[in-house]
Amino acid sequence: MLGIAMLVDRTTRKSLFTKTNFLAPCIIYLLLTVYQSIRSGNNIVGLVMPVFYTYIFFMLYRYDKSRLLRLSTFIAKSVAIILVPSLFFFILFLLGFPLPSRDLVFGDYFYSFTNYYFFLLDDRQLFAFIPRFQSVFPEPTYLGSTCAVLLLSQRGRWKRWYNIVLLTALLISFSLGAYVYITAIIFLNLWVKGRKILVNLIITISLIGAFVASSFFYNGGDNLVHDLILLRLEIDDGELAGNNRTTESFDVDFDNYIQSSDILFGRDRVAEFGDSGYKVFIYDYGLVGLALLILFYYLSFSPSDKRRSKISAWFVAAMIFGVDAFVLWLGRFIPLYCAAFTGVEDESEESNELETIPHEHTT
């Protein structure tokens, strides 16, 4: 389908695939993903998939950068369309309506759900007063981070229905990571737009303070915001309680690892449930994998002439890398890429292009 799209595009008057600076990032992406497949001990299918994904990135890099805002809008609308029925049936579930369901196990023993067809419910939350919303994503954090990066690429458009849906889904995911991302994104988007941040900072801190204070008093402190967010921000023995992306046994092994010669290419690891983040990536792929990843992102974003947009995308990508390191996922990379190339002057681009289309057909 992707190949057909490019062939059809060649027959149109105004091509969508015009950019030429695609070779270097595509080569680095292919090297990185093949390297990861080899390090992970994948079979021949695991070595073929990087080629397929490289072609997707090739099309993305060829895509006219002036239309990237329209691309991010299309993705945001598509995700919102999926989330609307998911939110509706989740609310029915909370209200006590009986819904058909079945058991679902994903990723061997890692995930166990009750599948309500329009949304998943983690079996670990079966007895929660109000379970966390995750739609069809395997974890609430995946849903929250996906919505966050899409909202980064939709700066100045948050009042539109599809972005309201994304923000609603993010908030009721009760994901600490997503809350941190969206807070940073609010100020990054203001910075990109050249707004005075100090006034907005005071207003935002006041609202967050009121929100936090109310969570301590609402229902005697027995609520999701208090239990899932605020308790994870407490300091315990000099460590943030929510900083639990790796187990103690892995941390001990990692400290030994960074002092060994394995640090260059990585070390084989016995996967344990709960280990994720930048430490796991460095452990698995070493400094070589880290260098390739940084180079890939640099080459991908460097053609953008929107300096603030580019820095914002870099910053959010670094935050996500620190939390779970899955920054090559298309659902995260494409919105980040769109955000890096979209500036303030592009906000009215979609409507302007639609106005010129009839004139092009009549000439």
Side-chain angles (χ1 to χ4, degrees):
M1 292 297 294
L2 296 176
I4 293 175
M6 293 198 73
L7 290 175
V8 172
D9 179 73
R10 291 183 179 181
T11 65
T12 60
R13 175 181 295 183
K14 188 175 181 180
S15 177
L16 298 177
F17 302 97
T18 58
K19 293 177 63 180
T20 57
N21 48 359
F22 59 86
L23 186 60
C26 282
I27 291 175
I28 297 301
Y29 175 80
L30 183 60
L31 287 175
L32 173 59
T33 50
V34 168
Y35 172 75
Q36 288 180 312
S37 294
I38 294 173
R39 285 287 307 125
S40 301
N42 291 337
N43 55 25
I44 187 65
V45 176
L47 294 175
V48 171
M49 289 304 294
V51 178
F52 172 76
Y53 278 106
T54 301
Y55 188 72
I56 296 177
F57 280 92
F58 163 73
M59 292 194 65
L60 180 64
Y61 295 137
R62 291 293 313 274
Y63 195 71
D64 185 357
K65 66 179 182 180
S66 66
R67 295 173 179 261
L68 287 175
L69 180 57
R70 299 185 67 180
L71 175 61
S72 71
T73 299
F74 173 79
I75 297 173
K77 288 181 178 179
S78 300
V79 175
I81 289 172
I82 294 173
L83 290 176
V84 166
S86 186
L87 283 165
F88 174 75
F89 283 100
F90 182 70
I91 292 172
L92 289 182
F93 170 80
L94 295 179
L95 294 176
F97 282 81
L99 299 175
S101 64
R102 59 180 294 183
D103 293 333
L104 174 65
V105 176
F106 174 72
D108 296 330
Y109 60 89
F110 286 128
Y111 297 105
S112 176
F113 306 105
T114 300
N115 180 10
Y116 287 95
Y117 298 101
F118 289 95
F119 68 92
L120 299 174
L121 181 65
D122 194 311
D123 288 342
R124 290 168 294 183
Q125 299 187 57
L126 287 176
F127 301 104
F129 179 68
I130 299 180
R132 299 169 65 185
F133 179 65
Q134 61 190 80
S135 186
V136 294
F137 291 75
E139 291 184 15
T141 299
Y142 294 167
L143 167 64
S145 62
T146 298
C147 293
V149 292
L150 283 170
L151 289 168
L152 173 68
S153 69
Q154 288 287 297
R155 65 176 65 93
R157 296 164 169 257
W158 285 19
K159 293 182 180 180
R160 304 193 179 191
W161 71 266
Y162 45 92
N163 290 324
I164 292 174
V165 171
L166 296 178
L167 185 58
T168 301
L170 184 153
L171 292 176
I172 65 175
S173 72
F174 293 100
S175 165
L176 175 60
Y179 281 25
V180 173
Y181 300 150
I182 200 64
T183 301
I185 286 170
I186 289 172
F187 293 109
L188 288 171
N189 283 350
L190 290 171
W191 178 61
V192 170
K193 293 169 68 68
R195 300 286 178 82
K196 295 181 179 179
I197 295 181
L198 182 59
V199 175
N200 292 282
L201 178 62
I202 295 173
I203 295 173
T204 303
I205 291 177
S206 299
L207 291 174
I208 293 175
F211 184 66
V212 169
S214 64
S215 71
F216 280 99
F217 293 100
Y218 178 73
N219 198 31
D222 185 15
N223 55 77
L224 287 177
V225 175
H226 178 269
D227 294 344
L228 298 178
I229 304 299
L230 298 181
L231 290 182
R232 297 181 65 194
L233 294 175
E234 292 183 348
I235 303 297
D236 184 15
D237 292 332
E239 290 285 340
L240 193 67
N243 186 23
N244 57 352
R245 307 303 297 176
T246 54
T247 59
E248 289 186 13
S249 60
F250 177 81
D251 287 336
V252 172
D253 193 17
F254 183 82
D255 291 339
N256 171 267
Y257 160 77
I258 59 177
Q259 300 178 42
S260 69
S261 59
D262 293 337
I263 186 67
L264 188 60
F265 294 104
R267 177 187 290 178
D268 294 335
R269 176 176 60 91
V270 178
E272 293 185 34
F273 184 74
D275 287 335
S276 64
Y278 73 97
K279 286 185 178 181
V280 174
F281 184 92
I282 296 173
Y283 191 100
D284 289 341
Y285 308 116
L287 295 180
V288 170
L290 181 62
L292 286 172
L293 180 65
I294 294 173
L295 181 60
F296 166 70
Y297 259 83
Y298 172 78
L299 293 173
S300 297
F301 292 171
S302 60
S304 172
D305 57 359
K306 312 291 193 303
R307 186 180 66 87
R308 292 194 176 191
S309 299
K310 184 165 47 177
I311 293 173
S312 297
W314 260 105
F315 186 81
V316 175
M319 293 176 66
I320 295 174
F321 179 75
V323 173
D324 60 32
F326 298 133
V327 289
L328 291 179
W329 285 358
L330 295 177
R332 290 176 174 177
F333 179 83
I334 293 178
L336 288 171
Y337 180 81
C338 293
F341 284 84
T342 304
V344 178
E345 66 275 15
D346 300 307
E347 290 184 1
S348 61
E349 177 185 336
E350 285 175 293
S351 58
N352 290 339
E353 286 192 1
L354 289 176
E355 290 176 1
T356 60
I357 289 176
H359 300 287
E360 291 180 3
H361 283 292
T362 55
T363 56

